[in-house]
């Protein structure tokens, strides 16, 4: 049976995290193997293992050898996702991580969202016909009602960019588009997954509030651990359920 037939099982799932701190708790809970290189020359690392019926690959962008910190951001996310999907053709890809949330949309620290609506990019400003739209990206998010219901998570547009803070223009964009999660990777991962026709789910948990006066970096550092723990609870439930032997049709409900 072809991989994307509704009744085909999810035999392999890959999960991409930007930061080691975000993904390590899940790797430990699932007792995945130690990290190995994903692709020669890249710092990206993968931890693998089996959960029930499913093979799990948990991938990090890795640490930049010059700057000594995780390679967060769109360009690294795109390269990692490309290398991953060239090497492993999972039936299901998940981008999990943290994000900025919005008080105006009812978020608080730890609120966890699934992507719905479109994947957007908020800081590509290209005022040329056609290229303006390319810059914003606007890739429709795959929806998985069964997962939304099972985990009890709400959905909305996820917008990605290269900065942790936000300009006034970006804030207007978030309001206009009803963005629920601001991050630095999802739209790049969605681009590659969409091109290569790999079903993608994005799960983002709020570490900081974009429409709150406290600087994002202060809230991020204070809340990273507690938010990651909530993210990990949802991710563990998802992966263990998929490990029971679900099909594409089961995911869509
Ligand atoms: N100083 C931090 C850097 C984290 S950057 C450190 O190294 O510890 C933020 C990361 O979390 C990115 O991978 C991004 O996807 C996500 N993120 C969390 N809050 C965000 C926000 N308000 N805006 C953009 N990205 C955010």
């Amino acid at each position: 049976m072809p991989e994307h037939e509704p009744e085909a099982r999810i035999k392999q799932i890959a999960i991409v995290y930007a930061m080691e701190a975000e993904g390590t708790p899940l790797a430990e809970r699932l007792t995945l193997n130690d990290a190995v290189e994903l692709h020669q020359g890249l710092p990206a690392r993968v931890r693998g293992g089996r959960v029930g019926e499913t093979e799990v690959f948990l991938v990090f962008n890795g640490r930049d050898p010059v700057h000594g910190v995780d390679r967060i951001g769109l360009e690294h996310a795109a390269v990692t996702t490309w290398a991953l999907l060239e090497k492993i053709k999972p039936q299901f890809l998940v981008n999990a991580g943290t994000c900025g949330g919005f008080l105006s949309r009812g978020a608080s620290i730890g609120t966890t969202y699934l992507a719905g609506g479109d994947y957007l990019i908020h800081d590509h400003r290209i005022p040329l016909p056609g290229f303006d739209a390319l810059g914003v990206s606007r890739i429709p998010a795959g929806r998985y009602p069964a997962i939304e219901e099972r985990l009890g998570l709400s959905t909305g547009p996820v917008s990605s960019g290269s900065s942790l803070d936000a300009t006034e223009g970006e804030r207007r964009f978030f309001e206009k588009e009803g963005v629920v999660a601001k991050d630095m990777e999802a739209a790049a991962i969605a681009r590659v997954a969409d091109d290569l026709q790999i079903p993608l789910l994005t799960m983002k948990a709020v570490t900081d509030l974009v429409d709150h006066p406290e600087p994002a970096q202060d809230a991020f550092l204070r809340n990273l651990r507690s938010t990651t723990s909530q993210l990990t609870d949802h991710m563990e439930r998802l992966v263990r359920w998929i490990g029971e032997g679900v099909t594409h049709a089961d995911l869509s409900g």
Side-chain angles (χ1 to χ4, degrees):
M1 200 184 307
E3 301 295 5
H4 293 343
E5 286 287 310
E7 297 310 323
R9 289 257 184 101
I10 310 291
K11 288 179 296 201
Q12 294 176 316
I13 168 176
I15 307 164
V16 183
Y17 286 93
M19 299 182 67
E20 232 178 278
E22 294 168 335
T24 298
L26 181 66
E28 300 299 327
R29 283 201 212 169
L30 300 177
T31 60
L32 301 183
N33 298 331
D34 289 344
V36 296
E37 188 177 78
L38 177 69
H39 187 285
Q40 201 215 334
L42 298 181
R45 295 287 179 267
V46 54
R47 297 184 66 170
R50 181 161 274 285
V51 175
E53 312 260 321
T54 304
E55 224 181 326
V56 178
F57 299 89
L58 194 151
V59 179
F60 301 112
N61 288 336
R63 196 150 296 186
D64 186 276
V66 173
H67 304 290
V69 292
D70 290 310
R71 278 193 169 174
I72 59 170
L74 294 161
E75 57 274 55
H76 305 299
V79 171
T80 299
T81 305
W82 170 261
L84 167 69
L85 298 184
E86 277 293 287
K87 183 164 177 157
I88 301 154
K89 289 268 173 294
Q91 288 79 54
F92 197 49
L93 177 66
V94 180
N95 170 215
T98 59
C99 67
F102 296 81
L103 284 169
S104 61
R105 242 77 76 211
S108 53
I109 302 301
T111 303
T112 305
Y113 293 101
L114 300 175
D118 292 329
Y119 290 101
L120 304 165
I121 297 181
H122 51 260
D123 61 0
H124 285 179
R125 288 178 285 276
I126 319 172
L128 291 169
F131 294 94
D132 48 358
L134 178 79
V136 176
S137 198
R138 215 173 279 286
I139 300 167
R143 292 290 294 269
Y144 305 95
I147 298 176
E148 292 167 17
E149 201 170 308
R150 182 168 278 267
L151 301 182
L153 299 179
S154 43
T155 62
V158 177
S159 190
S160 307
S162 299
S163 301
L164 192 61
D165 65 358
T167 65
E168 278 312 312
E170 288 164 6
R171 290 170 193 276
R172 285 194 295 274
F173 175 88
F174 300 139
E175 287 309 309
K176 181 167 70 84
E177 299 287 347
V179 168
V180 298
K182 168 182 180 282
D183 85 336
M184 298 176 66
E185 292 86 15
I189 295 169
R191 175 73 284 147
V192 179
D194 193 61
D195 284 348
L196 302 187
Q197 293 291 291
I198 304 289
L200 169 70
L201 172 82
T202 292
M203 184 189 294
K204 297 278 154 157
V206 172
T207 44
D208 51 85
L209 295 159
V210 178
D211 50 357
H212 183 283
E214 184 182 19
Q217 60 272 25
D218 297 350
F220 177 86
L221 292 172
R222 189 177 60 249
N223 297 320
L224 179 60
R225 188 184 288 265
S226 62
T227 293
T228 295
S229 151
Q230 304 210 37
L231 173 71
T232 305
D233 289 345
H234 295 298
M235 282 301 299
E236 184 180 6
R237 282 186 69 195
L238 173 66
V239 174
R240 293 206 187 279
W241 178 54
I242 291 175
E244 290 172 18
V246 308
T247 63
H248 284 284
D250 294 329
L251 292 186
S252 302

